[in-house]
Amino acid sequence: MLSAVFKWVHDQREPSLGTIVEITQVLKTLNPLAAKAFVQLYLGNIVEDDPDSES
């Protein structure tokens, strides 16, 4: 696992979607703001309300 994290940090590899979900779930229990920031690193603001999108 440490080698995988090293590769993520050094932009040599991206975590799988499943790994991102697991990390987000753990962060959410520890610090919801950290979980949100983590998700934004990978998804940007696509989950935020877009004032130009249709409701």
Side-chain angles (χ1 to χ4, degrees):
M1 178 66 166
L2 290 177
S3 65
V5 173
F6 177 88
K7 290 178 182 180
W8 302 340
V9 170
H10 292 90
D11 292 326
Q12 297 174 358
R13 183 176 177 188
E14 291 291 324
S16 69
L17 179 58
T19 300
I20 292 172
V21 169
E22 288 180 37
I23 292 170
T24 303
Q25 290 172 336
V26 171
L27 283 174
K28 197 171 179 182
T29 64
L30 299 172
N31 183 335
L33 292 176
K36 184 175 182 176
F38 178 77
V39 169
Q40 286 178 333
L41 286 172
Y42 291 97
L43 299 179
N45 292 323
I46 66 169
V47 294
E48 297 294 322
D49 291 337
D50 183 356
D52 295 329
S53 66
E54 295 180 24
S55 299

